[in-house]
Amino acid sequence: MPPPHIGLLGAGGIARAHLPGWLELGARVGVHTQDGSAEKLAAEYAARGHDVTAVPTLPELLADCRAVDICTPTPTHKDLALAAIAAGRHVVCEKPLALTVADAEDIAAAADAAGVRLHPAHVVRYFPAYAAMRDAVVRAELGAVAVLRFTRGGARPQWAPWFGDPAQSGGVIMDLMVHDIDIARWVAGDVVRVHARTRGVEHATGAPAGVVTATAVLTHASGAVSHVSGLWGLPDQRFRTTFRIAGADGLLCHDSTAVPGFRITAQGERAANEGIPSSPMTESPYLSELREFAASWDDPAVRPRVSARDGIEAVRIARAAVESSRTGRAVELTTAPAAPPGPAPAPAAANEEPTR
């Protein structure tokens, strides 16, 4: 069979993390951007002998691809996803799926009606430490889970101006903490109450951006409580993630900085202060998630570990946290009944942590 043609939208840091995965899977990749950066990215990879080309317009890309990978700023996700779905293309979309619950639901409904696959790219589910932790919980190795703590922090993103506008990025909660919000729900089930607080000025005006921290307390329908903390720090802030899962029969902990061989690198070229974490020793979780997504196109039995509903609920909880932080009051949530959790597919063997 000829290699699948993937339409990659975007040429920034996260696109550079996805592109090597598609090439590893044997795909030919067409890249489209609106600022000319697609030509530079395609030229870099073409010079190394890869089948990567720049596509000047979105209609041209959609006319000749099997699936679309959306790696553009969050405010553009809905329009691009709907255009790809209308063209009958499968869609993988970087987190968060959208800035609002209504937009996320619109994307999912359109994909369902069109009969195409929609994969919200919550890549942390593919990181071995998190996948193994979740499997341990599913197997009841910790007993009934009671308290979950997650932290994630690094240098404040300043390589693209939209990060500094909460109306476009959603701020530290929507852009960074949504990773662990998704993991908390994946592990402990649906969330019924959110109470959050943010410290620091999220809106960056062009001057050196200050430190921003946020904490969200999630109450799960099961009675478990998750504490999720995020940090956008100074330029020299070391990237670090941790989790600590306490159950009736045990405690499971992880610290990314304690994992031997862990380091942060970037694929290709990068702007100052931009890092896409990766390890040279093992398979990239970005490759793992793209492989699982691609396997689902022709086999209904393949169910990627991230569903459209997972993408919607991550947005719902993150929006509630943003609202709680704004008002100082807890936000009550209601969600549709979820299917019982099952074991995750076998994780890739990697020691990596993601940022955007």
Side-chain angles (χ1 to χ4, degrees):
M1 294 181 62
H5 182 199
I6 304 301
L8 179 63
L9 301 180
I14 201 65
R16 290 176 177 273
H18 283 212
L19 179 52
W22 286 121
L23 296 176
E24 182 72 18
L25 294 175
R28 61 186 180 96
V29 180
V31 187
H32 171 69
T33 63
Q34 294 184 332
D35 61 1
S37 57
E39 287 77 6
K40 179 181 178 183
L41 180 61
E44 290 173 14
Y45 276 85
R48 295 179 231 159
H50 296 294
D51 193 355
V52 180
T53 58
V55 182
T57 69
L58 182 59
E60 288 179 79
L61 187 76
L62 295 179
D64 183 34
C65 68
R66 181 80 191 277
V68 171
D69 186 347
I70 300 174
C71 295
T72 55
T74 305
T76 67
H77 287 182
K78 181 182 180 181
D79 287 346
L80 293 174
L82 292 180
I85 292 166
R89 308 309 177 204
H90 302 297
V91 173
V92 56
C93 181
E94 254 307 315
K95 61 81 203 165
L97 185 56
L99 280 174
T100 69
V101 177
D103 284 352
E105 290 177 332
D106 286 348
I107 296 170
D112 186 59
V116 300
R117 294 282 188 163
L118 172 65
H119 183 85
H122 284 280
V123 72
V124 178
R125 293 194 183 199
Y126 296 84
F127 281 68
Y130 290 82
M133 174 268 288
R134 200 261 187 170
D135 281 347
V137 171
V138 170
R139 292 193 299 264
E141 294 180 5
L142 303 180
V145 173
V147 179
L148 306 87
R149 296 183 182 275
F150 302 91
T151 71
R152 183 170 303 267
R156 183 169 182 163
Q158 298 183 60
W159 54 87
W162 67 274
F163 285 107
D165 182 357
Q168 297 188 66
S169 68
V172 69
I173 292 175
M174 182 66 74
D175 189 75
L176 179 69
M177 290 167 58
V178 72
H179 281 300
D180 295 302
I181 285 172
D182 173 66
I183 294 295
R185 178 179 165 272
W186 191 42
V187 173
D190 281 332
V191 173
V192 296
R193 190 171 189 264
V194 180
H195 199 176
R197 184 172 184 182
T198 303
R199 293 176 180 269
V201 179
E202 291 203 271
H203 199 283
T205 60
V211 172
V212 176
T213 64
T215 301
V217 178
L218 316 179
T219 303
H220 299 267
S222 64
V225 175
S226 292
H227 298 254
V228 181
S229 297
L231 164 68
W232 275 350
L234 297 176
D236 61 351
Q237 179 70 45
R238 184 181 185 186
F239 185 81
R240 181 188 185 197
T241 71
T242 71
F243 64 69
R244 185 179 179 91
I245 314 299
D249 299 330
L251 180 68
L252 189 57
C253 304
H254 170 69
D255 185 332
S256 66
T257 61
V259 176
F262 175 84
R263 71 179 188 180
I264 297 180
T265 60
Q267 287 85 2
E269 298 181 2
R270 66 186 177 94
N273 192 35
E274 179 183 333
I276 296 298
S278 136
S279 163
M281 300 171 62
T282 53
E283 178 175 291
S284 164
Y286 298 97
L287 168 58
S288 300
E289 74 169 340
L290 296 176
R291 177 188 287 115
E292 192 174 281
F293 169 59
S296 73
W297 298 346
D298 299 314
D299 187 350
V302 176
R303 298 179 61 188
R305 70 190 73 174
V306 187
S307 68
R309 188 199 169 212
D310 293 327
I312 293 169
E313 293 306 317
V315 173
R316 189 189 313 278
I317 298 165
R319 291 308 314 176
V322 171
E323 178 66 11
S324 174
S325 178
R326 185 184 68 82
T327 64
R329 298 189 296 270
V331 176
E332 306 291 334
L333 294 177
T334 58
T335 60
N351 295 317
E352 310 181 29
E353 303 298 333
T355 63
R356 252 185 108 205

